[in-house]
Amino acid sequence: MAGRASEGPQHPALHGDGWAERLLDHLRPGARDPRRVVDWLAAAVQGTVCLQAADGTLLAGTPVCLDPDLAADVTTGRISAAAVQDGDRHLRLVAVRAPEPRASAAALLAVARAAPFDRRAAEIVTHTAGVVELLLRERELTAAGHRLRRATADLRLAILQLLMVEDTVSARRVAAGLWPGLLDTDSACVYIVEGHPAERDALAEDCLVVTRGQALVVRCPAMDGHVIVLSPAPATAERLRSLVGDRPGTFLGGSVRQNLAQTATAYGQAVSALAVARFRPGQTAVYAERTHPERLMDPGALHAWSAAVLRPLDTLPHHTRAELLATTRLGLEFTAVSAGKVLGVSRNTVRARMDRVEALLGADFSDLTVRATAHLALNTQAALTEELAATLPGPSSVRLGDLLAGPGLRAWARDLLDRLVRDGRDLRGTLRAWIAADGNAERAAQELGVHAQTVREHVRGAEPVLERQLLAAGTDLYEVVLAHLALGDLAAPALLRANPGQPDSPVHG
């Protein structure tokens, strides 16, 4: 390695002014790319330029063979720059400084060329290193900002998942550091804002802005177009309505106010309301706007029945019981894949937990009437308060048929299903056969003597009439199933387990 290069005549390419302005042009928005700067420098000094990280990784340009000891001296901060002659090559090495307080360099800018470096060429290299430093710092800050936003989003999701399994204590602990006071409440509403998947990030940011720090805003891990908003603030609903009103093709579904431990129930209500919102001119709907069958049942009898149905789970540890109940509630609302994404577990874990509940209840969740019955029991249990629980009697003999026999519920069921008669097609008959076939269009078609596609079209045609989603299993479908059970169009299911209070005797739904 030869000594330092001497000053030589200016290269013809550097004659004239303007190189500084052209270099600074690379700091304009839209032009900030270290690779372009390196390419510009190579042309400006008629040489080979290499930008490499402190560990030697090539960041931009063309690799240049360097003395490792000299490169280490520059990158570690022992010297800030070096000018050497190596055979017929003239080299300039300049440290690209890292943000303080690090002493080492973030990168090394190395330039090799056949002609010696004159003052002008040396200045270009030095100033280019400064521009590259600014661009690398901006890139690092951008990456750090992205990591921070990603970490914050992950924390929001983790808090929601803790609430979904009724672990409100841990959820509050996680939230307290970043969003003080957000969960210092006993209850909240859950909203789902639905838009185009490609626009969800912008939609989520807008939700954060309009809720003004008074909501937990989460990009739904199961549905690409959904943003979940949990908020105790009464003003959130109106702010989200205003947001949706300005966005064609965007919809809002909201739950009624629920205890934080019932977040999973509130989420299901928001999904149900979202289905209604798609048919509304205002693109919004709230779960409380609709009459639901459980509200027409005798509360004491309903809670006593649900307690009896779910009694086999009472022997489990509290955390295990809550985990199984929360998972099963979501598993009955959505697919195992979607439920797993919402809860942060695998689909196999969801299925395993639901299989365990099935075994404990002696239930067959492949039967739609059983699923609807279990869904009613699980959501009734989720809404049970300590005060009401203290008033419930012991083992109850209340049956599902008793709950469905009330005149108010039967009138509701008749009004709901009679809407289907107004259509020229036999939507009601097709729907009844489809439910009896557990949602299997092929089996229902065989029973009716029609094509399976006709069954699907009839079921899909019933959705706007009933203002409920049917092809996607969940609360909407289960309410329609309960309406059929209330009118006797379908037989009430039996949960084939032995009653612990009465050995060997079956307990019917």
Side-chain angles (χ1 to χ4, degrees):
M1 183 80 66
R4 293 182 178 275
S6 61
E7 295 289 329
Q10 293 185 350
H11 192 281
L14 299 176
H15 285 168
D17 297 325
W19 66 264
E21 288 79 2
R22 291 193 294 275
L23 174 59
L24 291 177
D25 277 345
H26 290 281
L27 293 176
R28 290 183 295 104
R32 298 171 181 171
D33 185 348
R35 293 170 298 182
R36 293 177 59 185
V37 176
V38 167
D39 292 341
W40 174 86
L41 176 60
V45 300
Q46 296 294 295
T48 302
V49 181
C50 169
L51 177 65
Q52 64 182 43
D55 62 1
T57 303
L58 182 67
L59 300 178
T62 305
V64 174
C65 184
L66 301 174
D67 181 298
D69 293 333
L70 181 61
D73 285 343
V74 177
T75 55
T76 58
R78 183 171 172 270
I79 57 176
S80 61
V84 298
Q85 183 177 352
D86 180 15
D88 58 354
R89 293 190 312 162
H90 295 268
L91 296 171
R92 283 269 174 166
L93 285 71
V94 182
V96 178
R97 289 284 145 222
E100 297 298 339
R102 297 197 325 234
S104 60
L108 174 68
L109 184 66
V111 184
R113 69 178 200 162
F117 283 84
D118 55 22
R119 182 177 60 82
R120 190 70 172 278
E123 285 182 355
I124 292 177
V125 173
T126 301
H127 284 83
T128 301
V131 169
V132 170
E133 177 182 329
L134 292 174
L135 295 180
L136 291 183
R137 287 192 182 190
E138 180 190 46
R139 177 181 290 183
E140 183 174 336
L141 288 173
T142 300
H146 177 75
R147 290 193 299 271
L148 179 60
R149 288 191 295 273
R150 180 70 265 171
T152 304
D154 289 345
L155 274 177
R156 292 193 187 101
L157 175 58
I159 293 168
L160 179 67
Q161 289 169 340
L162 287 169
L163 292 173
M164 286 287 193
V165 294
E166 303 180 16
D167 192 351
T168 56
V169 174
S170 296
R172 285 189 175 107
R173 285 175 181 169
V174 176
L178 289 176
W179 302 282
L182 177 61
L183 296 183
D184 291 348
T185 178
D186 292 329
S187 61
C189 292
V190 172
Y191 307 90
I192 297 178
V193 186
E194 180 185 62
H196 193 280
E199 300 172 354
R200 183 171 68 165
D201 285 348
L203 183 60
E205 291 299 319
D206 287 344
C207 288
L208 283 168
V209 171
V210 300
T211 54
R212 302 174 187 177
Q214 296 180 307
L216 185 70
V217 178
V218 179
R219 292 165 177 79
C220 179
M223 302 297 291
D224 290 341
H226 288 187
V227 177
I228 303 169
V229 181
L230 182 146
S231 176
T236 298
E238 189 56 42
R239 290 170 181 169
L240 291 176
R241 284 193 188 98
S242 175
L243 174 65
V244 169
D246 295 334
R247 290 175 177 262
T250 306
F251 306 95
L252 171 67
S255 74
V256 297
R257 199 169 187 87
Q258 295 280 5
N259 188 284
L260 285 181
Q262 298 167 27
T263 297
T265 298
Y267 175 65
Q269 291 179 349
V271 171
S272 179
L274 185 64
V276 177
R278 297 189 185 102
F279 305 118
R280 294 279 178 86
Q283 304 173 185
T284 67
V286 177
Y287 186 80
E289 293 175 352
R290 200 169 77 192
T291 300
H292 299 279
E294 65 271 17
R295 298 182 185 176
L296 301 172
M297 299 177 187
D298 178 80
L302 175 60
H303 284 285
W305 168 81
S306 65
V309 169
L310 301 176
R311 188 164 291 118
L313 281 74
D314 292 348
T315 59
L316 300 173
H318 174 75
H319 177 74
T320 302
R321 182 178 185 274
E323 188 176 70
L324 291 178
L325 291 177
T327 302
T328 304
R329 281 202 303 271
L330 283 177
L332 291 174
E333 288 280 357
F334 311 103
T335 65
V337 173
S338 295
K341 288 179 179 178
V342 170
L343 292 171
V345 298
S346 71
R347 60 183 178 183
N348 290 334
T349 298
V350 172
R351 290 180 179 131
R353 291 176 184 174
M354 293 186 68
D355 287 346
R356 187 175 180 186
V357 173
E358 260 188 312
L360 287 168
L361 299 184
D364 178 9
F365 286 163
S366 66
D367 185 320
L368 256 181
T369 60
V370 172
R371 289 173 70 91
T373 302
H375 182 267
L376 176 63
L378 288 165
N379 282 282
T380 299
Q381 185 277 338
L384 183 63
T385 62
E386 292 183 5
E387 293 77 9
L388 182 56
T391 65
L392 294 179
S396 174
S397 59
V398 178
R399 295 169 178 257
L400 180 63
D402 300 328
L403 297 173
L404 298 177
L409 184 67
R410 290 176 62 84
W412 164 83
R414 190 176 298 107
D415 177 71
L416 178 67
L417 297 184
D418 278 353
R419 300 181 198 175
L420 299 172
V421 179
R422 303 164 194 164
D423 192 285
R425 301 164 291 177
D426 185 16
L427 297 184
R428 183 167 177 176
T430 302
L431 187 57
R432 180 175 60 248
W434 180 74
I435 294 173
D438 300 321
N440 187 297
E442 286 74 15
R443 281 166 42 202
Q446 290 178 356
E447 178 69 24
L448 295 170
V450 298
H451 195 278
Q453 186 59 31
T454 300
V455 173
R456 295 188 187 95
E457 289 175 356
H458 282 198
V459 174
R460 192 175 292 110
E463 290 185 324
V465 177
L466 299 177
E467 290 191 326
R468 285 164 171 82
Q469 281 188 306
L470 302 176
L471 292 172
T475 298
D476 287 1
L477 174 58
Y478 300 143
E479 288 186 356
V480 174
V481 172
L482 290 177
H484 282 83
L485 293 174
L487 297 180
D489 289 3
L490 296 170
L495 301 181
L496 302 178
R497 62 171 175 82
N499 188 330
Q502 302 176 26
D504 301 325
S505 64
V507 173
H508 296 273

